[in-house]
Amino acid sequence: MTLVHEDIGDEPCMHALVVGCGRFPFMPNRAQVARQACYDSAVEMVRFLLEHQDSLLPRLGSVACLLADPQVAAGEGLDRLPAGLPTIGEAVPVDSPEQENVNDALNDLLGRCRPGDSLFLYFCSHGVAGRDETGLLVLEDVHRNPGNPWRQMLDVKYLAQVLPVRSGAAAVWVFLDACQEVLPELKDQAGGVQLAAPIVAGVTEISRCPVVSATLSAGRYGTATHAPPEGGTAYFTRALIEGMTRCCVERRQQEWRVTAMRIMFGLENVARAVDGTVIETGPLLPFNKEAQLLRVDQPSIPVHVTSLPEAFLEGAADVRLLDEEHQVVATKPPGPEWRFRIDRIPSAYTVRVSRDGVDQDTHLDVDAPAAILEVQEQ
């Protein structure tokens, strides 16, 4: 494990573990299954945490990171967190997400967590599902054991259940950017998938624990997730960072705060509004809807405006966004659709389409993480 940031202090703080695995050297088709986006997405999550360390609730105390960069051959070089990240500067060598390293990192995380602290875990890799299991994360050394080739996986759903018990944390956030496609050989495996859990707890302990993890997966049971094939940030992670940075907010304690409710149910529309990406998210466990992750000083939401028929918007003489005082905030550029961002304050906006000398107004709802508006010709 590599601690890339540590500033714990005396007050409660948040401890983060970020895992990005894009290299699988023991897989028979290792070149085909390598994913640059898994490494890139983890780097962007570290960047987000460092950039918002003072806005997190509580503030950021530590960040540990495990990375497998497919551009680095396994055993022939060091995986590194790249230079240029806030508060870090130079490139930092990090351990890779082999099973032993992941187990050590999770137990080290428990060792750093004090009563009143919070935990933030992010994973990006391949993922699979068995007959009953969901949230299985593929680690770097999967297929190392010929007799049990899928042993090197992490059951993220189970981990999210036991972390509040074993850590004593005041809040636990777990985000999984990985597929949940059902793998036939796991589905048919006698006795179910055989994994070694790095952390365990009893059913009675789990049921009596007052804290429940807020756990969101990029894929529902049986579905795939997607990322740019050439690398870059995976689509779920991109929407998650957008939501945490700007728009998955509610008014709490006279501040705008990112809440579990808005993250869990808002990211699909956030992705669609930002760039048209389709993602299918799903919580792995029941969660506390009132849980709050961080403060946002100037929230804004992404908006996507289309029309029915499509030619109605494209053929309009003028399309404008008006605020509650009917002042023009923005004017649509040429094209059949319109994407933009607006501030949460003021809270009332109108899209005005002017065509053939007639103005048609459509109310724009901003009380949501994203707005997707279809203007219909009247």
Side-chain angles (χ1 to χ4, degrees):
M1 179 196 64
T2 302
L3 270 176
V4 298
H5 172 86
E6 187 172 25
D7 181 19
I8 295 178
D10 297 326
E11 298 298 319
C13 61
M14 182 172 290
H15 304 282
L17 173 63
V18 176
V19 177
C21 186
R23 183 181 63 228
F24 309 91
F26 297 98
M27 291 285 285
N29 56 339
R30 54 186 175 272
Q32 288 74 31
V33 299
R35 292 291 184 270
Q36 184 66 39
C38 294
Y39 168 85
D40 294 342
S41 298
V43 170
E44 286 308 303
M45 187 56 68
V46 173
R47 185 189 308 277
F48 165 81
L49 290 168
L50 295 175
E51 288 178 345
H52 297 84
Q53 57 185 283
D54 293 327
S55 299
L56 290 164
L57 299 170
R59 67 170 185 82
L60 188 64
S62 67
V63 180
C65 192
L66 298 172
L67 297 172
D69 183 352
Q71 296 189 40
V72 177
E76 297 182 12
L78 292 174
D79 293 289
R80 297 177 182 273
L81 195 64
L85 295 177
T87 74
I88 294 180
E90 297 182 355
V92 179
V94 295
D95 293 333
S96 65
E98 295 184 344
Q99 186 177 50
E100 183 178 356
N101 291 340
V102 171
N103 293 352
D104 289 344
L106 288 168
N107 281 279
D108 287 344
L109 189 69
L110 295 186
R112 292 198 305 279
C113 185
R114 309 160 301 181
D117 287 353
S118 295
L119 300 179
F120 180 103
L121 292 87
Y122 168 85
F123 303 97
C124 189
S125 180
H126 285 298
V128 295
R131 182 171 56 246
D132 302 312
E133 301 87 356
T134 57
L136 302 181
L137 183 82
V138 176
L139 303 179
E140 183 191 12
D141 49 346
V142 70
H143 275 243
R144 180 193 290 270
N145 298 347
N148 185 4
W150 294 101
R151 180 179 177 83
Q152 286 80 20
M153 294 193 297
L154 179 68
D155 188 336
V156 176
K157 181 178 179 179
Y158 178 72
L159 176 67
Q161 287 181 303
V162 301
L163 271 174
V165 176
R166 287 289 169 255
S167 67
V172 178
W173 301 82
V174 182
F175 299 103
L176 172 64
D177 195 340
C179 298
Q180 291 298 286
E181 292 181 291
V182 178
L183 200 64
E185 61 185 284
L186 293 181
K187 187 176 88 168
D188 297 334
Q189 186 167 308
V193 181
Q194 302 298 314
L195 306 177
I199 302 170
V200 298
V203 173
T204 302
E205 292 177 297
I206 295 172
S207 65
R208 291 178 177 176
C209 183
V211 177
V212 179
S213 297
T215 308
L216 186 65
S217 171
R220 301 170 188 166
Y221 183 76
T223 65
T225 60
H226 302 283
E230 70 280 2
T233 309
Y235 300 139
F236 167 80
T237 299
R238 193 160 64 191
L240 176 60
I241 292 176
E242 172 79 17
M244 294 190 297
T245 303
R246 298 182 178 91
C247 58
C248 287
V249 297
E250 297 181 86
R251 198 71 176 168
R252 294 286 187 271
Q253 300 179 22
Q254 300 182 340
E255 295 180 321
W256 291 104
R257 295 188 173 188
V258 174
T259 64
M261 182 71 172
R262 290 300 174 99
I263 289 179
M264 296 296 168
F265 297 112
L267 291 189
E268 292 183 7
N269 278 347
V270 169
R272 286 178 59 197
V274 169
D275 55 19
T277 303
V278 177
I279 60 175
E280 295 183 274
T281 66
L284 292 176
L285 297 169
F287 61 93
N288 176 11
K289 299 177 182 178
E290 296 300 317
Q292 301 167 24
L293 181 56
L294 75 158
R295 296 182 298 271
V296 176
D297 293 332
Q298 296 180 318
S300 62
I301 67 170
V303 181
H304 182 213
V305 181
T306 59
S307 65
L308 186 68
E310 182 178 289
F312 177 67
L313 200 63
E314 187 171 18
D318 187 62
V319 182
R320 297 184 179 186
L321 179 69
L322 310 178
D323 63 16
E324 56 191 357
E325 302 296 330
H326 290 279
Q327 298 298 309
V328 177
V329 177
T331 302
K332 176 186 169 296
E337 59 182 2
W338 190 14
R339 298 185 191 274
F340 56 93
R341 288 186 173 87
I342 55 175
D343 295 335
R344 285 294 303 265
I345 300 175
S347 59
Y349 288 92
T350 300
V351 174
R352 173 169 292 173
V353 180
S354 301
R355 182 166 177 160
D356 300 328
V358 178
D359 291 340
Q360 179 178 320
D361 290 351
T362 304
H363 173 70
L364 184 61
D365 180 18
V366 297
D367 189 25
I372 298 174
L373 179 66
E374 183 180 68
V375 177
Q376 298 190 12
E377 183 178 11
Q378 297 177 356

